[in-house]
Amino acid sequence: MPLVLYDTWSRTLRAFSPIRADHVGLYCCGPTVYDHAHIGNLRTYVFEDVLRRVLVLNGYSVRHVVNITDVGHLVSDADEGEDKMEKGSRRTGESAWAIAERYTAAFMNDWRALNLLEPTLWCRATDHIAEQIDFIAEIERNGYAYRTADGIYFDTSKQDDYGFLARLDAAGLQPGKRVAPGEKRHATDFALWKFSPPDTERQMEWDSPWGRGFPGWHIECSAMSAKYLGPWFDIHCGGEDHVAVHHSNEIAQTLACHGTRLANFWMHGHFLMLDAGKMSKSGGDFVRLATLTGRGIDPLAYRYLCLSAHYRSNLRFSMEALDAAQAALDRLRRAYVQWPEGGAPDDVYVDRFRLEVDQDLNLPRALAVLWDVVRSDLPAATRRATVDCFDAVLGLRLADWKEDVAAIPADIARLAAERERARAARDWNAADRLRDRLKTEGWQVEDGASGQVLRRLDKAQ
Ligand code: AMP
Ligand code: ZN
């Protein structure tokens, strides 16, 4: 059975096969780093990570490119309002550059905490200004750009199928009104380059053939994906909100410059929802990964929660659902650590799991197969080896898990702390006595690089 993926362009499930033999090109729109990522954003990256892992499971090597938007994304998608970076700068009193640095680092922390595979390449918009200028110049040479008072705009009326990805009725969107010279001509036209306002000094601005200013939001993805994956690659991903504007505009630009629609497959993750509506960076209910860990939730429990819903359905977030995900993950870990190594995976279950993930990443059903294995009467070592295969896709790091301190009874924790103090005081006799004492209580203590680690004896063996 082939890998089947849902393609937003064709609105169908299609069998996947790569354009080139040597690698699958995967481009994922990354964060705008004027604030922390919220867990809704992170849901989209979990979906993309699972996609990558499933591609690897199918034997493909993946060239995964993720951009960092550190300039030019305006508060409104309609090219009006402030640049999000400059706005963030005013909010916090830091420079736009410092903000980009800080939130990029915070984003990478979240990325690692969720066990997302490191992209082959991160690329920042501000490191690719020259490429964006070249791209715009080519669009202009091909006759798709015009100048207004505040920037260089893309003329969407020049493409009959503009907005096809979103099934936009471009004719219906055109205002049909007479526009004054110097204004944007059609409702769907968008900025390729914005001029720095004459009266204010921007922190991020560059010289260009059209004047000093900064790139529009969409051009970075067209320019950087073409640079690193070529103008025709395999899969382009993002959240569902990108279909109508950002991705439609990326396609318009790349068609005008290279004659391709960037990617063979367009894939979109659906939203994480709150009772009040979608979770958004500008909304009040802004839940970060740190909000969850502050409540004692493991980031991987949030990952588990994401896996429990199909990426093409909305996921309603609640603390109850998250607690249930944490409880399920805990149960899974406790079962897993009991199973010895050295077995071989069970082919029948591995095939069942493959069938589910290959069917447009049906992770909820793949998790059901996982629980069937946990409850099965397969030998314990077989269960472990089988679940190890699954975890290459699930990314729950089951093999790395160790009982955490919170699960250690208070009297044992006291003995362990005493031993740590004895070691610090180089009182080796006392430390050894306490090690023996812990052993008789059923706990083994190991001294690792980052301090001592406690394991329950029956689980350590
Ligand atoms: P941004 O940093 O705002 O550019 O968004 C980063 C990614 O998160 C994009 O792929 C968005 O489509 C996606 N996204 C935004 N809000 C949500 C949400 N509530 N649920 C899932 N994905 C989202
Ligand atoms: Zn993008």
Side-chain angles (χ1 to χ4, degrees):
M1 287 285 281
L3 170 62
V4 168
L5 300 172
Y6 185 82
D7 173 25
T8 311
W9 178 266
S10 65
R11 296 282 197 278
T12 56
L13 290 164
R14 292 171 53 205
F16 177 80
S17 65
I19 295 169
R20 296 175 198 82
D22 57 340
H23 69 254
V24 171
L26 172 65
Y27 186 91
C28 301
C29 290
T32 310
V33 285
Y34 70 104
D35 202 342
H36 287 286
H38 58 62
I39 56 172
N41 303 130
L42 297 175
R43 180 189 184 200
T44 293
Y45 302 113
V46 170
F47 139 62
E48 292 160 351
D49 181 69
V50 167
L51 168 64
R52 173 169 164 188
R53 289 166 181 267
V54 169
L55 288 164
V56 170
L57 187 73
N58 277 270
Y60 301 122
S61 81
V62 181
R63 186 165 162 78
H64 181 199
V65 177
V66 183
N67 69 301
I68 304 279
T69 300
D70 54 359
V71 68
H73 189 165
L74 300 179
V75 175
S76 113
D77 274 347
D79 293 315
E80 282 145 16
E82 289 175 278
D83 179 314
K84 289 182 174 177
M85 300 302 306
E86 307 260 339
K87 187 176 174 206
S89 164
R90 248 195 318 292
R91 194 188 73 229
T92 61
E94 287 172 278
S95 79
W97 294 97
I99 289 197
E101 207 52 57
R102 189 150 65 83
Y103 290 120
T104 302
F107 180 75
M108 305 257 177
N109 280 340
D110 288 351
W111 187 278
R112 282 187 287 268
L114 287 168
N115 195 28
L116 304 175
L117 298 173
E118 194 65 15
T120 317
L121 198 100
W122 294 104
C123 46
R124 285 172 210 260
T126 52
D127 289 338
H128 297 79
I129 299 296
E131 287 85 345
Q132 295 176 71
I133 289 174
D134 288 349
F135 209 100
I136 298 168
E138 182 66 17
I139 290 173
E140 189 180 43
R141 267 194 295 280
N142 294 342
Y144 291 87
Y146 62 90
R147 176 185 279 264
T148 73
D150 70 359
I152 303 296
Y153 279 77
F154 189 97
D155 186 344
T156 55
S157 72
K158 293 268 164 73
Q159 286 174 341
D160 287 343
D161 54 354
Y162 170 80
F164 177 80
L165 182 76
R167 305 299 189 263
L168 287 184
D169 174 9
L173 283 169
Q174 305 302 337
K177 62 168 177 143
R178 288 169 63 94
V179 290
E183 271 186 21
K184 191 164 119 166
R185 294 180 191 156
H186 315 97
T188 48
D189 291 357
F190 56 90
L192 296 165
W193 187 264
K194 293 276 277 188
F195 303 136
S196 295
D199 47 343
T200 33
E201 195 181 328
R202 282 180 53 89
Q203 299 176 46
M204 291 177 157
E205 54 181 5
W206 295 266
D207 286 326
S208 82
W210 312 280
R212 205 160 171 75
F214 60 102
W217 168 36
H218 316 295
I219 196 72
E220 65 180 86
C221 289
S222 284
M224 296 193 290
S225 63
K227 173 167 181 169
Y228 295 114
L229 297 172
W232 178 238
F233 58 91
D234 295 287
I235 308 176
H236 193 313
C237 292
E240 58 175 325
D241 56 330
H242 282 350
V243 177
V245 180
H246 182 51
H247 288 170
S248 291
N249 293 348
E250 282 186 37
I251 290 171
Q253 295 167 150
T254 302
L255 265 175
C257 188
H258 292 293
T260 66
R261 55 178 173 87
L262 286 90
N264 188 13
F265 280 75
W266 284 85
M267 295 182 67
H268 295 95
H270 283 222
F271 271 162
L272 182 78
M273 306 295 289
L274 297 168
D275 285 339
K278 81 167 201 169
M279 186 174 291
S280 67
K281 282 193 182 170
S282 48
D285 286 322
F286 188 105
V287 182
R288 290 168 47 194
L289 199 59
T291 319
L292 306 186
T293 47
R295 294 185 53 151
I297 298 286
D298 187 325
L300 294 176
Y302 179 63
R303 185 176 170 109
Y304 186 99
L305 179 69
C306 292
L307 301 178
S308 69
H310 191 259
Y311 77 92
R312 280 194 298 116
S313 52
N314 288 342
L315 170 56
R316 190 164 286 271
F317 178 75
S318 69
M319 277 327 274
E320 293 72 36
L322 186 62
D323 287 342
Q326 178 75 67
L329 181 61
D330 288 346
R331 247 190 343 269
L332 180 60
R333 286 166 162 171
R334 296 227 159 81
Y336 179 91
V337 290
Q338 319 265 356
W339 302 330
E341 290 175 50
D346 180 87
D347 288 342
V348 174
Y349 279 106
V350 169
D351 285 351
R352 273 184 59 194
F353 184 88
R354 265 294 289 272
L355 216 63
E356 299 300 356
V357 297
D358 282 355
Q359 189 56 35
D360 195 29
L361 318 181
N362 199 332
L363 268 297
R365 292 185 54 149
L367 280 183
V369 177
L370 167 80
W371 285 104
D372 283 350
V373 171
V374 175
R375 296 189 203 102
S376 72
D377 51 14
L378 290 173
T382 311
R383 275 184 274 170
R384 182 178 180 119
T386 309
V387 169
D388 281 341
C389 287
F390 299 175
D391 207 26
V393 170
L394 304 175
L396 296 171
R397 302 189 62 172
L398 292 171
D400 297 340
W401 183 72
K402 295 197 173 60
E403 191 98 55
D404 70 355
V405 186
I408 296 170
D411 53 335
I412 300 298
R414 251 192 319 275
L415 287 173
E418 229 176 290
R419 180 172 180 273
E420 208 136 46
R421 276 195 298 276
R423 273 169 53 81
R426 301 180 154 267
D427 185 350
W428 309 121
N429 287 339
D432 286 349
R433 256 197 328 276
L434 285 158
R435 179 202 294 270
D436 293 343
R437 176 81 194 283
L438 282 162
K439 201 163 185 178
T440 55
E441 299 287 338
W443 290 82
Q444 178 170 308
V445 58
E446 289 166 5
D447 298 312
S450 53
Q452 62 181 19
V453 178
L454 277 176
R455 291 180 199 233
R456 222 188 278 273
L457 267 175
D458 54 350
K459 291 185 177 172
Q461 290 161 349

